[in-house]
Amino acid sequence: MPSSVEVLAQERFEGGQQCAGRLLGDVVAARQRLAAHVGSDPPPLPQRLEAARDHAVAPPQDQQRALDAATGLAVGPIVIEVDRARAPVTAANFLRYVDQKRLDGASFYRAAASPGSTEYGLVQFGLNPLPQRLLPPIAHEPTTRTGLTHLSGTISLARGAPGTGQGDFFIVVGDMPSLDADPKASGDNQGYAAFGRVVEGMDVVRAVLAAPISPTLGSGSFRGQMLAAPVRITSARREP
């Protein structure tokens, strides 16, 4: 029987917090340890996540199978604090997907982990391969503007070029400052738009990161990072 995980999204305001949304999803949790042997200075993924610049983009639509989780363990809730004060555009975009029920039936489909570890990497979820549910792209909010940074547990918006982010999101495991904007870097130096953080349930995120990977799904940098059985989100709701 599939197990489920509850994901709560909380808005962060200058004067306090307000509960904002809820996601319910089936979880593929491999029957193995949720943590492994990596410290705070983890070994790199290939080319340190290719400087992490090409590993959080939305994958080609034809590379994802819409499979429900068939087995799993109940591993508890994920609570996400959404920072509308510092990242108003990106946070509001996420909540629109919740309010309009566009994440119902979406999934966690990608787990890019450092080899042999669940302590460094990222998990990605969203509307691949459901392009008909996508809202228009939003303006990019770089971390140089918001003051946020990609510390462990940060949730951020996947994108191709700046300003193309829509309905795919990722959570990082382990600090990844290379995902932040870096005006001194060459090429696309705008980084990714962080807009919140996991405040409870990183064990669940690590369970997804540790889930079995397909040897054939994905192309290019995505090969070897697509979940064999994506973790299906059954519903997404804002709490009253």
Side-chain angles (χ1 to χ4, degrees):
M1 178 181 297
S3 58
S4 64
V5 59
E6 183 176 56
V7 181
L8 302 174
Q10 299 177 334
E11 295 184 49
R12 180 186 179 94
F13 297 98
E14 292 299 328
Q17 298 179 3
Q18 175 181 341
C19 191
R22 176 181 300 220
L23 292 160
L24 293 177
D26 297 332
V27 174
V28 175
R31 294 179 182 273
Q32 56 189 343
R33 294 185 308 171
L34 298 180
H37 51 79
V38 176
S40 59
D41 186 18
L45 294 175
Q47 298 299 312
R48 189 171 170 77
L49 278 173
E50 296 297 332
R53 297 293 172 180
D54 68 340
H55 278 254
V57 299
Q61 295 294 331
D62 62 355
Q63 298 296 338
Q64 172 63 21
R65 295 185 301 174
L67 298 179
D68 293 349
T71 60
L73 301 173
V75 288
I78 298 173
V79 180
I80 296 172
E81 182 182 82
V82 176
D83 196 334
R84 294 191 69 178
R86 291 193 286 180
V89 174
T90 316
N93 175 67
F94 176 73
L95 293 175
R96 277 194 296 273
Y97 281 97
V98 171
D99 291 342
Q100 297 178 24
K101 303 181 181 179
R102 291 175 183 265
L103 292 175
D104 290 12
S107 63
F108 284 83
Y109 54 81
R110 182 169 176 239
S114 183
S117 171
T118 56
E119 291 296 327
Y120 190 70
L122 61 86
V123 297
Q124 190 163 323
F125 69 95
L127 294 182
N128 179 284
L130 301 169
Q132 69 276 14
R133 296 192 186 183
L134 290 171
L135 295 170
I138 62 171
H140 182 57
E141 286 184 310
T143 54
T144 48
R145 181 187 308 164
T146 64
L148 300 174
T149 188
H150 287 84
L151 301 177
S152 187
T154 296
I155 183 171
S156 198
L157 179 64
R159 68 170 178 85
T164 62
Q166 293 176 277
D168 288 273
F169 311 92
F170 65 93
I171 299 169
V172 300
V173 179
D175 296 349
M176 294 189 188
S178 56
L179 292 171
D180 295 344
D182 182 1
K184 297 179 181 179
S186 59
D188 180 358
N189 59 14
Q190 293 300 298
Y192 295 90
F195 63 92
R197 65 191 181 99
V198 175
V199 295
E200 181 184 336
M202 282 301 291
D203 56 334
V204 180
V205 175
R206 292 186 182 95
V208 176
L209 191 62
I213 296 295
S214 167
T216 58
L217 289 176
S219 62
S221 62
F222 289 95
R223 181 62 63 88
Q225 298 179 0
M226 307 298 280
L227 293 176
V231 178
R232 186 173 180 269
I233 298 170
T234 59
S235 66
R237 300 290 184 270
R238 183 187 288 247
E239 283 199 331

